[in-house]
Amino acid sequence: MSKKSNKKLHIICLAVFTVLLCAAVWLLGRITEPKYMSGVLEGAMTQEYYNEENSHDVIFVGDCEVYENFSPVTMWEEHGITSYIRGSAQQLIWQSYYLLEEVFERESPKVVVYNVQSMKYDAPQSEAYNRMTLDGMPLSKHKLDAIKASMTENEDMISYLIPFLRYHSRWSELTDEDFEYAFRRDSVTIAGYLMRADVEPMTKLPTAPVLDDYTIGDTCWEYLDKMQKLCDANGATLILIKSPSLWPHWYDQWDEQISDYAAEHGLDYINLLDVSDDIGIDMQTDTYDAGLHLNIYGAEKLSRYFADILAGRYGVPDRSEDETIAADWENKCNAYYELLAAQNAELEEYGYLKSWTLGDEK
Amino acid sequence: MKKFIAIILAVLCVFALCACGNDGGSSDNDANKTAEYKPDYGELYYASGDVKFGILDPAADVLSALGEPDSTFESNSCAYQGKDKFYYYDGFEILVNDVDGTERITGITVADDTVSNPQGVKIGMKIDEALALMDGIEYAQSGDTYKFTVGSTLFRIQAGDDGTVAAAEYSVAANDK
């Protein structure tokens, strides 16, 4: 064999080997990455948005105070409002911003609702929460920017791009779930709403911790500015809200700063904590974890109240006459009530939600 | 070519070795950690009756000595793995977190004026009086907050608008950002 053809063979072998190696690393990444299909479901939420077939007039962004507290199905049933919650656990404001950039590339919502609770954090906090928000995003400039903004000291970009680098040590913890869901996921939310039908009444909240400085950080303001500009550029109205969760504590000093910012920038800021009684929220029946998050009964009350505001004050249209959209929402409503029935059945059988929690019996 | 394959194989070996490494500590190690634990809070501890405890003390012994709390509260933790677990007792609250596999006390809050810390600081007293009681422990002032640090413990007193102690709490100094 001539030297030339020998070299050619080497190059082909090298190419095949490289492709196989990449495929193996990709495949192993799919198997070893956490699936979040049981226990901690929050990590599966980000990617569900990409399965949506129809557009939405309202998009919520923020942390657990949106995805646990608002029910898009209720807003649909009350006013024919199409909404989606792009929420995730401890979603930081820069993550909300980049998720929103992605939204505007795909659709044109009329209203964006941002829950300001996360503005207490001016710096990256936790890799675990970062992963739950960012791993589900498809590769894009938005994802890369979100990773750059979110990484804590010990994280690196490459492990977000090649999950196997981060998750290979899970090999000894792999379960059937890791193989079953390597290439697909079940839905864990209904239009971004993570349902909980159990009840744990509020007893006593901890004393609010002392802070040295109650000033909301510059990075948060910078991203709030960017969020408003992004909404303006896309013809959407940005509404700031504080969801009516009672813990973590929402300090008056923070509230004042958000109110001042909203007034200066011509934004509406609705502190729903102030109108909890008007909404009818009863923390003896409407929370599943003693005041942190609303259960479905609280979320439905809040969503009815907020849907009135969206329809009345912001003119969000009723889409119930649109056949395609109505069919889509009929499916969502069916899934919602099936899920509620399944959760109620488990509550009756076990006294707690076995399949939707880590199994901590209350 | 051979060099390239060698590099790739080396990378795979690194993956394999990392995968073989177990990043979780064994229970024996955890037990040793608890056994070797020496509190470093000096005088910055809290006391309820005969039970003295402080920041980073293993929680199980303390909670057992204190007896049944009035109530408890849990929320997801931002600073630690797992949950923030609050235990309420008469006049004070204890926060417990999983610190490197061991449940430890990470916060003690003086909740009302029915109790005081071992130095005598209590909610509602004049801030000057409180600072005098803490005599001998250096502090730093940040606005209305006075911070005393010993070892891993930060004791914080916050003055209210009327110049009295509005809040007093112990926390992990490393978490003070």
Side-chain angles (χ1 to χ4, degrees), chain B residues 21-172:
Chain B
N22 188 343
D23 49 14
S26 71
S27 55
D28 285 350
N29 286 341
D30 291 341
N32 289 340
K33 267 189 265 172
T34 306
E36 290 165 7
Y37 168 72
K38 293 274 189 297
D40 64 358
Y41 41 70
E43 294 302 304
L44 282 189
Y45 61 86
Y46 188 77
S48 175
D50 295 336
V51 186
K52 292 179 181 177
F53 53 96
I55 292 301
L56 295 183
D57 278 349
D61 296 344
V62 175
L63 294 173
S64 162
L66 287 172
E68 193 71 17
D70 295 338
S71 59
T72 60
F73 180 84
E74 282 189 4
S75 72
N76 285 326
S77 178
C78 297
Y80 297 95
Q81 292 292 320
K83 302 268 186 191
D84 287 337
K85 297 176 182 171
F86 294 89
Y87 297 81
Y88 302 129
Y89 294 91
D90 280 343
F92 67 97
E93 299 165 11
I94 295 178
L95 171 61
V96 171
N97 287 104
D98 180 333
V99 182
D100 298 332
T102 304
E103 298 254 287
R104 292 186 185 278
I105 293 173
T106 55
I108 305 162
T109 302
V110 179
D112 59 41
D113 60 4
T114 61
V115 296
S116 58
N117 81 345
Q119 285 79 18
V121 174
K122 63 193 293 185
I123 303 289
M125 70 171 24
K126 288 285 177 198
I127 197 77
D128 292 341
E129 199 183 333
L131 294 176
L133 288 169
M134 297 298 293
D135 189 33
I137 304 177
E138 282 189 20
Y139 68 87
Q141 186 177 356
S142 168
D144 292 334
T145 307
Y146 300 83
K147 301 197 283 188
F148 303 79
T149 308
V150 174
S152 309
T153 299
L154 172 68
F155 177 57
R156 218 185 314 227
I157 304 174
Q158 191 171 55
D161 292 339
D162 59 355
T164 62
V165 174
E169 65 180 31
Y170 299 79
S171 59
V172 178

Side-chain angles (χ1 to χ4, degrees), chain A residues 40-68:
Chain A
V40 183
L41 304 177
E42 284 87 338
M45 292 166 59
T46 298
Q47 65 195 55
E48 282 190 20
Y49 169 72
Y50 312 108
N51 300 330
E52 287 290 292
E53 288 171 0
N54 295 297
S55 59
H56 314 89
D57 287 321
V58 180
I59 294 286
F60 290 80
V61 283
D63 53 17
C64 51
E65 292 195 1
V66 288
Y67 69 75
E68 302 267 19

